[in-house]
Amino acid sequence: MTQSTTGTAAAQPLPSPKERRRLREAKSLSEEQVAAAVGVTRATVRSWETGRTSPRGRKREAYARLIGTADATSTSTPPPTPPALPQPPVDAPVESPTGAPVAPPTESHAETPTESLAETPAGSCGEAPAEPPAEAPTEAPTSSPTPPTASPAEAFDALYRHTAAALFRQTYLLTGRRNLSREAVGKAFDLAWQRWPEVAVDRDPVGWVRAAAYEHAMSPWRLMRPEHRRADPPPEAPGPRALLDALLSLPPAYRRTLLLHDGVGLGLPETAAETEASTPAAAGRLMTARAAVAEKLPELATATAPAEQAALLHEHLGALALAQPATSLPVPELIRTGSERKAQLWTRAAIAFTVLLIGLTLITLATAPRKYETPQSPAQKVGGVPALGGPQKLTPQDKKLQKKLGGELVHGPARLVPRVG
């Protein structure tokens, strides 16, 4: 008896849809290549990576092997090699907004342990160290160091102390507004505590909170509020002021891509995934943003190699971020209590609204009539009707003549001759 391969293929583990796309882009595979290798259409691959559907059977096993998540002990046949498709040249020059060619970005600085403004050690209140280093700290780990037996509150507090200060500085580089950055960080951690079961098992809790803070800070609706309409005074030094002005002049998507890749130190596939763009689109945004910033910073324009330009920009962004104090951030206990209080208020409001709706429904059912009767319209005088016509009433003479004629009526041809008299 041969064992069916359907059950084996269905048991192949698959990561989340977002992780599937990241793994595919990390292997430099396009949707067309994956579709040709697995034997499906491009729309099917896209639905797999958006979470609408999931592969089954042999296609699931082939897809898992293709993105590198299949079990090493599987005895199934490996999927065919994807056909080579024409890819855009990576080293092709891209024109900047002024028309000058710009070299494409490289990811060498993201792979090496360079310094970034991703995370800074903070105290219990999210404060920066008393003697900040001259350069930004090293690249952020994917998760905060917490004990394996820590309670949810302790794990949340550790994540907050590990991330809040650096996240505040990053958000300031995106908006140029300290109050909005502080509000965005608080809102992001408030949302993280509400969804802590989801955040706790995420492979990158720092990235989860960072994405939430960026989305809140860069929403155009926030700038319509009176307290956020005007940007804070720029730095007094000409260099940091020029860099901040260059960042704020970029479109939001380009600004976020530049900060994540050259500031935080994420790789190009991770940057594309967090900005919800394809890898070629993220590379184009990165090169355009670098060219626009280099026009306002002479020291960046002198760098010819992409790696050197990225390193200089990384250093300047770290210095500008560390210049912003993060001493006004609330303690994590306030974030947790405020989030719990807000959740309780929303829950009570929902319960009260439901009870009110049920009460109004019962009152309506009790007071509503059981049978509908059409109301009679009031009487109205009708005009324009002609007078009653037809034969009039018989007079006494007419009745006498009628009686006489009835009595004298005979059968036959005889005729009644009136008497003159």
Side-chain angles (χ1 to χ4, degrees), residues 107-119 135-141 260-266 307 310-312 314-315:
E107 302 183 22
S108 59
H109 73 284
E111 298 177 357
T112 57
T114 54
E115 298 179 353
S116 77
L117 53 89
E119 306 297 337
E135 298 180 354
T138 57
E139 185 177 349
L260 288 174
H261 191 273
D262 289 347
V264 180
L266 297 183
L312 288 175
H314 180 76
E315 181 181 355

Side-chain angles (χ1 to χ4, degrees), residues 2 17 39 41 43 50 53 59 67 99 141 149 154 168 186 210 230 242 258 329 332 347 351 396 405 413:
T2 58
T41 61
T50 54
T53 60
K59 292 186 174 69
I67 63 177
T149 59
E154 294 175 351
F168 167 77
R210 179 176 60 236
R230 293 184 179 181
L258 181 66
L329 294 176
T347 304
I351 295 175
L405 292 176

